[in-house]
Amino acid sequence: MATATPATPATPTLRELTVRGILLGGVITLVFTAANVYLGLKVGLTFATAIPAAVISMAVLRSFANHSIVENNIVQTVASAAGTLSAIIFVLPGLIMIGWWTGFPYWTTVAVCAVGGTLGVMYSIPLRRALVTGTDLPYPEGVAAAEVLKVGDGTEGVEANRTGLKVITFGSVVSAAFGLLANLKVLANSVTAYTRIGAGGTMFSAGLSMAMIGVGHLIGMTVGIAMLVGLVISFGVLLPIRTNGALAGSEPIGDIIDGIFVHEVRFVGAGAIAVAAVWTLLKILRPILKGVTDALVSARDRRQGQVVELTERDIPFPMVVGTVVVMLLPIAVLLWDFSRGTVLQGHSAGIIAASLVFIFVIGLVIASVCGYMAGLIGSSNSPISGVGILTVLIAAVLIKVVFGRADSGQSTALVAFTLFAAAITFGVATISNDNLQDLKTGQLVGATPWKQQVALVIGVAFGSAIIPPVLNLMQRAFGFLGAPGAGDHALAAPQAALISSLAKGVFGGSLNWGLIGLGAVIGVVAILIDETLTRTSRFALPPLAVGMGMYLPMSLTLIIPLGAVLGYFYNRWADRTGGDVERKKRLGVLLATGMIVGESLYGVVFAGFVAGTGSDEPFALFSGFGGSLPELIGVVAFAAVLGWMYKRTRVIAGSEPVSVKG
C-alpha cells in the first residue's frame, strides 16, 4: 500500500482540544457504544467507530467557525476510545452466566471500565514512539481515518480534494448499498458450506464484506498471505483431524464442525497467538524501551525550557507513571470489595496482591501486543477475544496457585474473582488496541499527541458511564444464553460464554492444555520460518498474523487476503502505467477507505433499527428467500461490484488532475 506522508505539523492557532469537540464526541459515543454493546452481545462482533465518527464530526463542525482537521481528529478520538471500550462485554457478562451477579452494579461496572481503560491509555503513551512513529506498521484504520479527515478538510488542493472525496463517497455508497441489499434479503452477504474429508470434515465460509476487502487492501500482501497460511492450517488440517469420527451421529454436520472449531481449533489458534505475541513483544522490547527513554528526554527538555515540536509532545512521562501507580489503589479497593462478604473473605489478601501484580505487569505486555496487532491488521479485525482468552487463562492459573486448595464453594468464588480481575486487564487490552490506531491518525494529520491522549481518557470516561445501563438493559430485555433464567431470545455473548467456561475449566481441572500447547508448537514453527525468510529473502511470514488466521473465523480470514490481492494488483497497475504513481495508489487507498466507511456507517444505522425494533431482520423484504440461490446471487454481485469499483477508480486515477490549490 502507499505510505501516507505526515501532514505539516499543527500550528498553535488551530483549534484542537475544544469543548464543542469533546461534547460532540460524547454524543457520538452514546450512539456508537450502545450499538456496539448490542452487536457484541448478539453475534460476538463490534465495529470500529473512528471513521464514522470522523465523517459525522466533519459534517457537524463544518457549520462552525474556525473548525480544523485536528479538532475533527479529537472528536473521532473521543468516540473511538469509548466505542472500543465496549469490548469489555466480552468478559463481564460471564459473571451473570455463572450466576454470581444478577445485574451489573452501576458504579462497580463504571469503575472497572474506567480504571482499565485509563491504564490502557497510560500504557499506550510510551508505545507511541515505538509502534507508531518508529515502525512501518500499516495501521489500516488509522490511515483510513486520516485520509477521510484530509479529504474532508480539503488541505491538499481543490481538485485533489474533489477527486479524493469523489472516490471515498463512491466506495462508501456502494459498500453501504451492498449491505442494505443483503439486509433486504435480495442477496446473501455470506456463503457457508460444509464438506466431509474422509471420516472428518471441514467448512468453507466467506463473508461478502466490502469493509474486509478495504482492510485487506490497506494491510498488504505479506500480512494477507500469513493470514491465509493460518486459515489453511486451521480449516485444511486441524479441523478435518479434530472432526475425525465425530460426524457419524444424527447431529447436523454443520453444528458439529462449528462446535469443534469454536471449542477446540480456536484454542490451538490462541496458543499460536500466545507464542507469537511473546516473540513479538521480545522483538519490540528494544524500541519500547527507546520510546520510554525518548519520552523522558522530551519531558526533561520541556522542563528546561527547550521547545519540543507540537507533534512530539506526549503527556509527561512522570505523570504517566504516577497515574499508573495511583490507579492501583482503586483497583485494590475494587478487588477487596468484590471478595467482601463471600467465602473468600479473610483469604483474599494473597490473590488481591497477585492480581495487582498481574494487572500491572500483564497489562503492559498486552498493551504492547494489542497495539502491535492493531497496527498489523486493524482494530476491528484484531483478535482481541483471543487476548482475552489468554489473559483469563494466565489469571486463573496464577490465582489458583496463590490461593491453593479450594472447596467447591471457593472454586466458584475464585472463578468469579478471576473474571472480575481479568475484566480490568481486558479494559487495558481493548483501549491499547485502539489508541495507537488513533495516534497514527493524529500523526498523519499533524495533531498534538498529549491533547489526543487527554481526549482518549475523556473518551474512556464517556464510555464507562454509558456501558453499564446498556448492559443492564440487555440483561433485563433478553438475558444471556446459559445464564440462570435466560429465555428463548437470550443473547449469545459468545466470548463471555467461552471465557467463563475457560475459567471454570482451570479451577475444575477440565481444560485441555494440549490444544493450547499444540498451538504454541505451531507458533514456534511460524517464528522460525519468518526469521529464516526475513534473513535470506525479501519475503516474510508474520507469526502473529498466522495465529490470527488460525483463530479468526474463515469468513474474515478468507476475505481480508482477497482484499490484499486486489490491492496488490491495483498497485502493480499504478506502477506499470507510470505518471503520478503515488497519486494513483493514494486513490486506491481512498477507495478502500470508502468501503470501510460505508459499511461502518451503515452498520451503525442498522444496529439502531435492530435495537429499536427488537428484530434481527428489520429490513427483510424477502425473508423466505433462502437456500443456495441468494448465495449465488451474492457471490456474483460481490465479484461484479468489486470489479466495477476498481475499474472505475482506475479510470479516475488515470485522468490528469487539474493543478489548482485551495
Side-chain angles (χ1 to χ4, degrees), residues 40-45 90 97 266 491-499:
L41 292 173
K42 183 70 177 177
V43 298
L45 295 174
F90 291 164
M97 292 176 170
R266 288 190 85 176
L491 298 169
Q495 284 89 347
L498 178 60
I499 286 173

Side-chain angles (χ1 to χ4, degrees), residues 254-278:
D255 292 347
I256 297 173
I257 291 176
D258 284 340
I260 289 178
F261 172 73
V262 170
H263 298 295
E264 296 186 26
V265 175
R266 288 190 85 176
F267 286 104
V268 180
I273 289 176
V275 170
V278 172

Side-chain angles (χ1 to χ4, degrees), residues 391-412:
T391 301
V392 168
L393 282 176
I394 298 170
V397 171
L398 176 65
I399 289 171
K400 184 177 182 178
V401 170
V402 171
F403 190 85
R405 186 180 297 275
D407 58 34
S408 59
Q410 288 174 326
S411 293
T412 301

Side-chain angles (χ1 to χ4, degrees), residues 120-413:
V121 175
M122 294 301 114
Y123 279 150
S124 66
I125 290 173
L127 295 176
R128 182 187 70 85
R129 297 173 186 268
L131 296 180
V132 176
T133 61
T135 68
D136 57 355
L137 289 170
Y139 285 99
E141 289 158 344
V143 171
E147 298 294 348
V148 170
L149 289 168
K150 287 178 183 178
V151 168
D153 192 61
T155 59
E156 300 192 342
V158 173
E159 187 61 29
N161 175 48
R162 186 180 296 121
T163 303
L165 185 60
K166 179 181 179 181
V167 172
I168 284 184
T169 304
F170 169 61
S172 299
V173 170
V174 174
S175 179
F178 192 87
L180 175 61
L181 289 175
N183 291 136
L184 290 172
K185 299 299 180 181
V186 173
L187 48 79
N189 61 356
S190 64
V191 177
T192 302
Y194 302 92
T195 184
R196 293 177 182 270
I197 299 179
T202 189
M203 65 182 296
F204 172 86
S205 179
L208 306 180
S209 166
M210 297 286 178
M212 294 303 100
I213 293 291
V215 168
H217 184 126
L218 294 175
I219 65 174
M221 282 291 285
T222 298
V223 176
I225 291 174
M227 291 188 66
L228 199 57
V229 169
L231 181 149
V232 171
I233 293 172
S234 281
F235 293 90
V237 179
L238 295 175
L239 196 53
I241 292 174
R242 301 301 301 183
T243 55
N244 187 45
L247 307 180
S250 59
E251 189 176 353
I253 181 176
D255 292 347
I256 297 173
I257 291 176
D258 284 340
I260 289 178
F261 172 73
V262 170
H263 298 295
E264 296 186 26
V265 175
R266 288 190 85 176
F267 286 104
V268 180
I273 289 176
V275 170
V278 172
W279 178 250
T280 299
L281 179 65
L282 292 175
K283 291 189 70 172
I284 64 177
L285 190 59
R286 185 175 178 180
I288 288 173
L289 294 175
K290 185 178 185 301
V292 172
T293 303
D294 290 346
L296 288 170
V297 170
S298 177
R300 184 196 63 197
D301 290 344
R302 291 176 67 181
R303 286 197 306 269
Q304 293 176 352
Q306 295 185 29
V307 176
V308 178
E309 289 187 16
L310 287 177
T311 52
E312 289 300 322
R313 295 181 187 175
D314 293 295
I315 292 177
F317 193 70
M319 188 178 296
V320 172
V321 174
T323 303
V324 170
V325 173
V326 167
M327 283 292 103
L328 294 178
L329 178 60
I331 292 173
V333 173
L334 282 171
L335 294 172
W336 171 80
D337 184 66
F338 187 85
S339 61
R340 184 168 57 93
T342 72
V343 293
L344 299 179
Q345 185 169 335
H347 307 279
S348 60
I351 57 175
I352 289 175
S355 298
L356 287 173
V357 174
F358 172 80
I359 292 168
F360 181 77
V361 176
I362 299 299
L364 179 59
V365 172
I366 65 173
S368 305
V369 172
C370 288
Y372 187 89
M373 290 194 301
L376 190 68
I377 194 175
S379 302
S380 297
N381 308 297
S382 179
I384 192 71
S385 55
V387 175
I389 287 172
L390 297 171
T391 301
V392 168
L393 282 176
I394 298 170
V397 171
L398 176 65
I399 289 171
K400 184 177 182 178
V401 170
V402 171
F403 190 85
R405 186 180 297 275
D407 58 34
S408 59
Q410 288 174 326
S411 293
T412 301

Side-chain angles (χ1 to χ4, degrees), residues 28-49 79-93 97 104 109 113 430 462-480 490-496 603-604 607-608 610-611:
I28 297 173
T29 289
L30 175 64
V31 178
F32 283 7
T33 302
N36 253 335
V37 168
Y38 179 83
L39 289 181
L41 292 173
K42 183 70 177 177
V43 298
L45 295 174
T46 57
F47 57 87
T49 56
S80 67
T84 301
L85 189 61
S86 62
I88 196 75
I89 62 172
F90 291 164
V91 178
L92 280 180
M97 292 176 170
F104 297 92
T109 309
C113 296
T430 59
F462 276 129
S464 300
I466 293 167
I467 288 173
V470 177
L471 278 173
N472 274 317
L473 175 64
M474 297 301 161
Q475 161 67 2
R476 289 194 301 269
F478 304 107
F480 303 120
L491 298 169
Q495 284 89 347
V604 175
V610 169

Side-chain angles (χ1 to χ4, degrees), residues 317 453 509 615:
F317 193 70
Q453 290 151 6
S615 169

